[in-house]
Amino acid sequence: MGILSGNPKDEPLHYGEIFSVWTASTVAKGAVSCYQAYLNHSGDKDLKKILDGLIDQANLEIKELDKILVDNGIATVPTMPERPAVKLEDIPVGARFADPEIAAKIAADVSLGLVACSQAMGQSIRVDIGALFAKYHITKTALGLKILEMSKEKGWLVPPPLQIKRPETVNA
C-alpha cells in the first residue's frame, strides 16, 4: 500500500479531510461564541446545562481538530473572544431569545452536525480522522436526544402535522 500503510497519523491528509477538519474547527469556534450568548439569554436551568455541555464538546473538538491542522502545517481560524456573562434581566424582552427558540436552534445545529460528521467519516481514508468524526457523531447523537427529551418535557417541541387516523388497508 506504500504511502497509505502504517500509522494513520503518518499518512498525508487528502483535501477533503483537510476541508472537513478545518470546517469543523471553524464551526465549533462559532458555536462556542453563539452558545455563550444563548447562556445569557436562557432562564431555564435544564437548557443552561445542555448549553454548557455543547460548549464543552465544541471546545474539545476545537482542541483536537486544531492539533491535527497544526501538526499538518495548516493554519487555523482564530478563536473568538469569550463573551462576558450578562444577567437575563439586563436584556430587553424584545431583544431576548426565548428558551424554546434556543432549544429549536441548538437542535437544528446538532442535526446539521450529525450530517457533517457522517460526510467526513464517509470521505476519510485516514482511519484516525474517520474515527474522530465517529466519536463526535456519537456525542452529538446523545446531546440531540437530551435536547429532544427536554423540548418534549417542557412543551417546546412543535411537531409537524401528525397522522392520527391511518388509512384502512384494502385487500385486493
Side-chain angles (χ1 to χ4, degrees), residues 6-136:
N7 184 349
K9 293 181 180 182
D10 295 333
E11 296 173 9
L13 294 167
H14 66 68
Y15 289 108
E17 291 167 330
I18 294 168
F19 186 73
S20 290
V21 171
W22 186 88
T23 300
S25 170
T26 303
V27 168
K29 289 173 183 176
V32 168
S33 178
C34 185
Y35 297 161
Q36 286 173 344
Y38 286 164
L39 273 173
N40 290 331
H41 288 250
S42 177
D44 186 87
K45 65 178 177 63
D46 296 327
L47 181 56
K48 285 179 176 276
K49 187 176 175 182
I50 289 175
L51 285 166
D52 284 331
L54 288 168
I55 291 169
D56 290 345
Q57 177 61 26
N59 280 322
L60 173 68
E61 291 176 16
I62 292 165
K63 179 181 159 199
E64 293 175 343
L65 295 166
D66 281 0
K67 180 175 180 358
I68 292 169
L69 293 170
V70 169
D71 289 351
N72 285 278
I74 300 160
T76 63
V77 172
T79 303
M80 296 181 199
E82 185 106 0
R83 287 189 183 259
V86 176
K87 291 182 182 175
L88 180 62
E89 303 80 36
D90 293 340
I91 303 171
V93 175
R96 198 181 301 166
F97 285 109
D99 290 340
E101 290 174 296
I102 295 169
K105 179 64 172 104
I106 63 175
D109 285 353
V110 170
S111 178
L112 291 171
L114 289 169
V115 174
C117 286
S118 294
Q119 181 177 358
M121 289 166 19
Q123 75 179 5
S124 294
I125 57 174
R126 267 188 48 171
V127 175
D128 60 326
I129 301 296
L132 185 65
F133 280 102
K135 179 179 83 167
Y136 297 159

